[in-house]
Amino acid sequence: MENKKIEQLHGKLIVSCQALPHEPLHSSFIMGRMALAAREGGALGIRANTKEDIREIQSQVNLPVIGIVKRDYEDSKIYITPTMREVQELMEVNPEIIALDATSSVRPGGLTLDDFFRQLKETYPDQLWMADCSTVEEALHADELGFDFIGTTLVGYTEQSKGDKIESNDFEILRKMKDKGCAIIIITHKLQEVLSISDRVTILRKGKSVGTVRTADCDARKLTELMVGRPVSLEIQRPPVKNCETILKVVDLTVDKADGSRAIDDISFDIRRGEILGVAGVAGSGQKELCEAIAGLLHACKGAILFNKENLLGKTPSEIIEKGVSMSFVPEDRLGMGLVASMGMTDNMLLKSYHKGKGPFIRRKPAGELAKRLIEKLAIATPGPETPVRLLSGGNVQKVLLGREIESSPSVLITAYPVRGLDINSSYTVYDLLNEQKSKNVAVMYIGEDLDVLLELSDRIMVLCHGKITGIVDAAKTTKEEIGMMMTGGHKAAVSE
């Protein structure tokens, strides 16, 4: 296949871009990817199944366009490689590259990826193909099959799923691919991953590249300074606990999941004023259900949740508020449970306060003023308080949610994975906000996935394993190894007072 644009691709960057239903093709997000592709001399990939979308992109830029034929069936939630007919339809717009989903085990007619790819190669011998993978194993397999390009979105490198350890096997596969001549790009916020696997690091700040350095010549502190734009201390403060008064006590709590299986199994613990109680555990150990049960969002089978000795079990969030209980909850799902994605900051502030209004009309002015204060106080990057929060970055969305909750002056603050997916600067802003609440005598429950952060930030750490407590320990006196053993049920520790 003779194409001068294709000559640019070999050894160059391929930029893949997703055209979301709510994102027009001329949006700043997509145009930014186009600019990056043009600057790097690479290709632009649009995740679109229609010929019309591909034609529109081809008319806008003089770059190779990757036709990614990939469908998500909502009922089965399974990605299915398209049929030969769908590939034929895509060929009508003459895409320089066609990408195949390499993540599915389900193939039309029972074909494996190997058989289907061989058929395509025989039918279209001059076409260039890219494998769209989700794991390094899939990428290695696609490379062995002879795909011209491999696009990977590497998932599963979070402590949530791997107990605070990156699987060394995954990195070994990446190193093997590197030895075979593959160019690998890893996009991550986790400095330890960058330092462990990369040869060079390009740092992006506010959409611009601020530099590329050799990994061997830098450390976490230097990378952080490049990411943030100023010297940053990587130390997390842990002010001493000044008040040991118990404000929330959980007794013999048992909670079931929606499918009837047990999520929380007869656990008891307390949270004290002016302390941060960290909660550690492998994903699915009952963290989500514990938060929602305390907040009154999930029914508990038995037990008691005592706030200043008054039982909150069985009460709805509105009933808890009516009793004068001041509790704030920062859920794991920021834009699903915490905020309304299509609304701006002002209306999201109202969600917390509209019930306090008198009369038939809602006053938006106080909520708007609060939104403006939070924008200034927390340096939230947004065009304005009426901009839909779904258009903000993850760090700014978290600032909106956490800022709203702490502005209600809670006595108890429950946070679930508040720094997941955030950059280093936003993460440290969250840690500072939690310590600020601690200094105000607020009892904070912090559910986290990074053991280093849990050990530095928390005063005590409660470890969950399969819905049971395997230990509550003094964070200053325990180790990552001990926490890790408790997370897997291999060790139980005495409860620290």
Side-chain angles (χ1 to χ4, degrees):
M1 181 176 181
E2 293 185 2
N3 190 322
K4 290 185 178 180
K5 290 185 289 185
I6 293 301
E7 293 176 4
Q8 301 174 358
L9 296 177
H10 296 284
K12 295 288 187 178
L13 174 67
I14 294 179
V15 180
S16 180
C17 172
Q18 184 170 8
L20 302 174
H22 59 268
E23 289 284 358
L25 293 177
H26 61 270
S27 71
S28 59
F29 174 80
I30 292 179
M31 294 305 292
R33 297 305 188 275
M34 290 180 182
L36 178 58
R39 188 181 69 197
E40 298 293 340
L44 175 68
I46 293 293
R47 293 182 183 273
N49 293 326
T50 67
K51 294 181 288 185
E52 290 74 17
D53 282 347
I54 294 177
R55 284 196 179 101
E56 183 174 350
I57 289 296
Q58 288 174 324
S59 68
Q60 293 184 37
V61 292
N62 184 30
L63 285 170
V65 175
I66 305 173
I68 298 185
V69 282
K70 181 175 183 178
R71 298 193 307 181
D72 181 10
Y73 288 86
E74 294 182 359
D75 293 338
S76 62
K77 295 297 180 186
I78 297 176
Y79 286 113
I80 301 181
T81 298
T83 62
M84 185 69 75
R85 179 183 58 80
E86 290 170 319
V87 174
Q88 290 170 348
E89 290 180 358
L90 192 64
M91 290 291 290
E92 293 178 16
V93 295
N94 193 30
E96 281 79 7
I97 302 173
I98 293 181
L100 298 180
D101 176 21
T103 65
S104 175
S105 59
V106 181
R107 307 288 164 188
L111 290 177
T112 64
L113 174 65
D114 306 44
D115 294 334
F116 188 56
F117 182 57
R118 289 190 186 100
Q119 284 188 13
L120 292 173
K121 291 284 283 185
E122 290 174 1
T123 308
Y124 304 105
D126 296 327
Q127 178 64 48
L128 291 178
W129 305 92
M130 184 174 86
D132 194 7
C133 310
S134 290
T135 68
V136 289
E137 290 88 350
E138 291 168 358
L140 185 61
H141 179 60
D143 181 56
E144 292 171 349
L145 287 178
F147 277 85
D148 301 285
F149 304 99
I150 298 173
T152 59
T153 302
L154 302 180
V155 296
Y157 283 169
T158 65
E159 296 83 348
Q160 175 199 9
S161 59
K162 301 205 173 177
D164 199 52
K165 287 187 178 180
I166 299 170
E167 290 254 350
S168 59
N169 182 53
D170 289 342
F171 278 1
E172 284 304 314
I173 293 174
L174 288 176
R175 291 187 179 100
K176 289 179 181 178
M177 293 177 66
K178 170 189 167 183
D179 293 340
K180 294 181 67 174
C182 293
I184 300 170
I185 301 173
I186 295 181
I187 302 174
T188 178
H189 288 142
K190 297 183 178 296
L191 297 182
Q192 68 268 29
E193 292 184 9
V194 172
L195 295 170
S196 297
I197 191 64
S198 67
D199 299 296
R200 292 183 298 137
V201 186
T202 295
I203 297 90
L204 301 179
R205 186 169 69 241
K206 296 182 179 180
K208 296 182 179 180
S209 173
V210 296
T212 298
V213 297
R214 291 181 66 252
T215 307
D217 297 335
C218 64
D219 56 18
R221 187 176 300 278
K222 181 176 180 180
L223 289 179
T224 302
E225 290 181 6
L226 287 169
M227 292 167 64
V228 176
R230 55 181 171 79
V232 173
S233 172
L234 296 180
E235 294 182 3
I236 300 175
Q237 301 299 316
R238 182 169 54 201
V241 178
K242 298 179 181 179
N243 191 334
C244 293
E245 178 188 355
T246 296
I247 185 173
L248 188 74
K249 189 175 182 67
V250 174
V251 182
D252 301 332
L253 184 66
T254 298
V255 181
D256 285 345
K257 297 180 182 179
D259 61 5
S261 61
R262 188 127 295 176
I264 295 295
D265 191 2
D266 198 30
I267 69 171
S268 299
F269 65 95
D270 60 54
I271 308 176
R272 302 160 187 173
R273 293 184 184 273
E275 81 157 350
I276 296 179
L277 175 68
V279 180
V282 177
S285 294
Q287 300 96 320
K288 178 176 181 289
E289 291 80 7
L290 175 60
C291 288
E292 294 181 5
I294 294 175
L297 299 170
L298 190 63
H299 173 73
C301 301
K302 76 177 186 74
I305 300 172
L306 306 174
F307 181 90
N308 285 335
K309 300 182 180 180
E310 180 169 0
N311 194 2
L312 305 181
L313 195 69
K315 293 181 172 55
T316 64
S318 58
E319 291 172 338
I320 292 174
I321 292 172
E322 288 173 3
K323 286 190 168 292
V325 176
S326 179
M327 185 185 303
S328 289
F329 175 35
V330 179
E332 176 181 355
D333 187 358
R334 300 163 194 163
L335 292 178
M337 182 180 289
L339 301 169
V340 178
S342 60
M343 297 194 321
M345 283 185 63
T346 299
D347 289 332
N348 273 291
M349 297 301 114
L350 276 171
L351 294 176
K352 189 79 174 180
S353 60
Y354 76 92
H355 63 278
K356 298 178 182 178
K358 297 179 180 179
F361 302 107
I362 294 177
R363 296 181 64 236
R364 297 183 77 251
K365 185 177 179 180
E369 292 173 347
L370 172 58
K372 291 177 182 177
R373 286 202 308 273
L374 290 179
I375 290 173
E376 183 176 352
K377 177 182 177 182
L378 302 181
I380 298 173
T382 175
E386 305 306 323
T387 300
V389 293
R390 66 174 172 80
L391 299 180
L392 306 185
S393 68
N396 286 298
V397 169
Q398 189 66 303
K399 289 179 184 178
V400 173
L401 178 56
L402 188 55
R404 184 191 68 186
E405 294 304 310
I406 64 179
E407 280 295 317
S408 64
S409 301
S411 299
V412 176
L413 176 62
I414 302 170
T415 62
Y417 307 109
V419 298
R420 177 181 289 169
L422 302 191
D423 60 78
I424 192 77
N425 195 34
S426 297
S427 297
Y428 276 75
T429 298
V430 171
Y431 304 147
D432 290 341
L433 287 172
L434 295 181
N435 271 324
E436 179 183 317
Q437 292 303 295
K438 174 182 174 179
S439 67
K440 293 179 180 179
N441 225 21
V442 176
V444 179
M445 187 166 79
Y446 174 87
I447 297 178
E449 53 194 5
D450 188 320
L451 293 189
D452 290 314
V453 172
L454 279 166
L455 288 166
E456 289 186 64
L457 182 67
S458 307
D459 298 293
R460 292 183 299 151
I461 298 176
M462 179 173 72
V463 184
L464 294 175
C465 178
H466 302 304
K468 290 181 176 290
I469 294 177
T470 52
I472 301 178
V473 295
D474 186 333
K477 298 178 180 178
T478 189
T479 63
K480 284 179 67 174
E481 290 73 23
E482 183 180 21
I483 298 294
M485 288 292 290
M486 288 188 284
M487 287 171 59
T488 58
H491 172 68
K492 289 189 177 181
V495 174
S496 175
E497 298 297 333

